[in-house]
């Protein structure tokens, strides 16, 4: 589950809590505002901030002997190459391969390749997230 999905899931849980409580009972406490939407917005911002550190590294996994990929395949790799520090490489038999053979430089971090872009399948994520939150669905 990526960071945005986690955020949406937690905001959905928060919305469900709000729907199940009386309007003057904000997150199980007496509301200090005239309108609980103030509390909802504050709580949504707290949820987003709590996940910002996860998003900061964009799912990069530091490369150590303990943090090698669990299966062989093609990965996105950050390495010590000054001209092209990010490469697509194959991990096979505990070695990294690139277009010129075995990579003999230093691997700094790796991550699985992202899903390919599909314009027709996915609506704009920002619009979808905002509409879902504001519509209460």
């Amino acid at each position: 589950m990526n960071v945005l999905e986690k955020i949406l899931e937690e905001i959905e849980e928060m919305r469900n809590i709000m729907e199940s409580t009386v309007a003057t009972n904000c997150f199980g406490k007496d509301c200090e505002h005239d309108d609980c939407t103030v509390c909802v917005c504050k709580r949504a911002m707290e949820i987003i901030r709590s996940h910002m550190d996860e998003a900061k590294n964009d799912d990069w996994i530091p490369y150590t002997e303990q943090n090698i990929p669990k299966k062989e395949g093609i990965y996105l790799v950050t390495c010590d190459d000054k001209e092209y520090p990010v490469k697509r490489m194959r991990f096979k038999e505990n070695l990294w391969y690139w277009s010129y053979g075995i990579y003999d430089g230093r691997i700094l971090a790796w991550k699985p390749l992202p899903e390919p872009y599909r314009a027709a399948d996915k609506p704009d994520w920002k619009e979808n997230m905002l509409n879902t939150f504001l519509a209460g669905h």
Side-chain angles (χ1 to χ4, degrees):
M1 181 182 304
N2 72 31
V3 175
L4 290 175
E5 289 169 336
K6 288 179 189 176
I7 291 169
L8 286 174
E9 186 177 277
E10 288 186 35
I11 289 173
E12 179 71 19
E13 288 174 19
M14 177 185 65
R15 189 177 61 80
N16 291 338
I17 291 170
M18 287 298 295
E19 285 179 352
S20 66
T21 60
V22 181
T24 60
N25 190 3
C26 189
F27 297 110
K29 299 179 259 184
D30 289 333
C31 186
E32 59 190 56
H33 307 96
D34 293 335
D35 184 2
C36 285
T37 56
V38 173
C39 298
V40 170
C41 289
K42 282 184 176 181
R43 181 65 186 124
M45 288 188 295
E46 289 170 8
I47 290 170
I48 292 167
R49 283 191 182 103
S50 73
H51 290 284
M52 286 175 85
D53 285 340
E54 291 176 52
K56 195 185 310 180
N57 284 327
D58 294 327
D59 300 325
W60 284 103
I61 301 164
Y63 184 69
T64 63
E65 286 184 30
Q66 296 81 19
N67 271 347
I68 63 172
K70 301 218 183 317
K71 60 183 183 178
E72 295 181 351
I74 299 174
Y75 296 90
L76 204 54
V77 175
T78 298
C79 59
D80 61 354
D81 185 334
K82 290 188 186 338
E83 191 172 352
Y84 299 106
V86 177
K87 301 179 185 312
R88 189 178 135 269
M89 291 189 189
R90 178 177 300 279
F91 183 74
K92 185 176 179 182
E93 299 173 359
N94 289 337
L95 294 172
W96 291 100
Y97 294 85
W98 65 319
S99 53
Y100 301 108
I102 296 173
Y103 186 73
D104 61 353
R106 187 168 157 237
I107 304 296
L108 305 173
W110 62 276
K111 70 178 178 176
L113 292 175
E115 290 294 317
Y117 174 73
R118 290 185 185 90
D121 294 350
K122 296 183 180 181
D124 178 39
W125 71 269
K126 289 179 189 174
E127 182 180 329
N128 185 38
M129 186 167 102
L130 184 61
N131 289 339
T132 301
F133 180 72
L134 294 177
H137 294 271

